[in-house]
PDB file of all heavy atoms in Angstrom:
ATOM      1  N   LEU A 965       1.271   4.270 -15.018  1.00  0.00           N
ATOM      2  CA  LEU A 965       2.414   3.386 -15.147  1.00  0.00           C
ATOM      3  C   LEU A 965       2.877   2.852 -13.792  1.00  0.00           C
ATOM      4  O   LEU A 965       3.301   1.700 -13.671  1.00  0.00           O
ATOM      5  CB  LEU A 965       3.554   4.106 -15.860  1.00  0.00           C
ATOM      6  CG  LEU A 965       3.429   4.251 -17.362  1.00  0.00           C
ATOM      7  CD1 LEU A 965       4.596   5.043 -17.922  1.00  0.00           C
ATOM      8  CD2 LEU A 965       3.364   2.890 -18.023  1.00  0.00           C
ATOM      9  N   SER A 967       1.023   2.121 -11.256  1.00  0.00           N
ATOM     10  CA  SER A 967       0.117   1.058 -10.861  1.00  0.00           C
ATOM     11  C   SER A 967       0.444  -0.243 -11.590  1.00  0.00           C
ATOM     12  O   SER A 967       0.152  -1.329 -11.067  1.00  0.00           O
ATOM     13  CB  SER A 967      -1.321   1.453 -11.126  1.00  0.00           C
ATOM     14  OG  SER A 967      -1.579   1.570 -12.523  1.00  0.00           O
ATOM     15  N   ILE A 970       4.439  -1.461 -10.309  1.00  0.00           N
ATOM     16  CA  ILE A 970       4.470  -1.970  -8.945  1.00  0.00           C
ATOM     17  C   ILE A 970       4.071  -3.429  -8.872  1.00  0.00           C
ATOM     18  O   ILE A 970       4.448  -4.162  -7.930  1.00  0.00           O
ATOM     19  CB  ILE A 970       3.573  -1.103  -8.010  1.00  0.00           C
ATOM     20  CG1 ILE A 970       3.842  -1.384  -6.525  1.00  0.00           C
ATOM     21  CG2 ILE A 970       2.106  -1.351  -8.311  1.00  0.00           C
ATOM     22  CD1 ILE A 970       5.177  -0.937  -6.043  1.00  0.00           C
ATOM     23  N   PHE A 976       9.001 -10.786  -8.136  1.00  0.00           N
ATOM     24  CA  PHE A 976       9.910 -10.873  -6.999  1.00  0.00           C
ATOM     25  C   PHE A 976       9.422 -11.856  -5.951  1.00  0.00           C
ATOM     26  O   PHE A 976      10.213 -12.602  -5.370  1.00  0.00           O
ATOM     27  CB  PHE A 976      10.110  -9.487  -6.366  1.00  0.00           C
ATOM     28  CG  PHE A 976      10.826  -8.518  -7.240  1.00  0.00           C
ATOM     29  CD1 PHE A 976      10.270  -7.278  -7.548  1.00  0.00           C
ATOM     30  CD2 PHE A 976      12.065  -8.804  -7.765  1.00  0.00           C
ATOM     31  CE1 PHE A 976      10.938  -6.357  -8.356  1.00  0.00           C
ATOM     32  CE2 PHE A 976      12.741  -7.891  -8.569  1.00  0.00           C
ATOM     33  CZ  PHE A 976      12.169  -6.677  -8.864  1.00  0.00           C
ATOM     34  N   GLY A1008       9.734  -0.544 -20.579  1.00  0.00           N
ATOM     35  CA  GLY A1008      11.129  -0.175 -20.539  1.00  0.00           C
ATOM     36  C   GLY A1008      11.598   0.527 -21.819  1.00  0.00           C
ATOM     37  O   GLY A1008      12.473   1.387 -21.766  1.00  0.00           O
ATOM     38  N   THR A1078       9.032  21.479   6.874  1.00  0.00           N
ATOM     39  CA  THR A1078       7.821  20.816   7.359  1.00  0.00           C
ATOM     40  C   THR A1078       6.829  21.798   7.900  1.00  0.00           C
ATOM     41  O   THR A1078       5.640  21.717   7.625  1.00  0.00           O
ATOM     42  CB  THR A1078       8.219  19.803   8.462  1.00  0.00           C
ATOM     43  OG1 THR A1078       9.151  18.886   7.938  1.00  0.00           O
ATOM     44  CG2 THR A1078       6.980  19.079   8.980  1.00  0.00           C
ATOM     45  N   PRO A1086      -2.852  22.490   5.159  1.00  0.00           N
ATOM     46  CA  PRO A1086      -3.203  21.500   6.189  1.00  0.00           C
ATOM     47  C   PRO A1086      -4.435  20.685   5.883  1.00  0.00           C
ATOM     48  O   PRO A1086      -4.474  19.506   6.146  1.00  0.00           O
ATOM     49  CB  PRO A1086      -3.416  22.395   7.408  1.00  0.00           C
ATOM     50  CG  PRO A1086      -3.862  23.705   6.861  1.00  0.00           C
ATOM     51  CD  PRO A1086      -3.189  23.867   5.538  1.00  0.00           C
ATOM     52  N   ALA A1089      -4.337  18.352   2.129  1.00  0.00           N
ATOM     53  CA  ALA A1089      -3.409  17.237   2.162  1.00  0.00           C
ATOM     54  C   ALA A1089      -3.932  16.157   3.121  1.00  0.00           C
ATOM     55  O   ALA A1089      -3.868  14.954   2.806  1.00  0.00           O
ATOM     56  CB  ALA A1089      -2.015  17.690   2.598  1.00  0.00           C
ATOM     57  N   ARG A1095      -8.587   9.927   2.401  1.00  0.00           N
ATOM     58  CA  ARG A1095      -9.185   9.184   1.304  1.00  0.00           C
ATOM     59  C   ARG A1095      -8.311   8.021   0.897  1.00  0.00           C
ATOM     60  O   ARG A1095      -8.813   6.947   0.523  1.00  0.00           O
ATOM     61  CB  ARG A1095      -9.374  10.096   0.096  1.00  0.00           C
ATOM     62  CG  ARG A1095     -10.452  11.170   0.247  1.00  0.00           C
ATOM     63  CD  ARG A1095     -10.437  12.060  -0.981  1.00  0.00           C
ATOM     64  NE  ARG A1095     -11.387  13.164  -0.884  1.00  0.00           N
ATOM     65  CZ  ARG A1095     -11.466  14.152  -1.723  1.00  0.00           C
ATOM     66  NH1 ARG A1095     -10.634  14.201  -2.756  1.00  0.00           N
ATOM     67  NH2 ARG A1095     -12.345  15.113  -1.578  1.00  0.00           N
ATOM     68  N   THR A1101      -5.458   0.311   2.495  1.00  0.00           N
ATOM     69  CA  THR A1101      -4.719  -0.399   3.518  1.00  0.00           C
ATOM     70  C   THR A1101      -5.448  -1.646   3.981  1.00  0.00           C
ATOM     71  O   THR A1101      -4.863  -2.723   4.130  1.00  0.00           O
ATOM     72  CB  THR A1101      -4.467   0.556   4.701  1.00  0.00           C
ATOM     73  OG1 THR A1101      -3.689   1.642   4.274  1.00  0.00           O
ATOM     74  CG2 THR A1101      -3.724  -0.162   5.824  1.00  0.00           C
TER      75      THR A1101
END
Side-chain angles (χ1 to χ4, degrees):
L965 282 177
S967 67
I970 193 68
F976 292 126
T1078 302
R1095 289 176 183 172
T1101 298

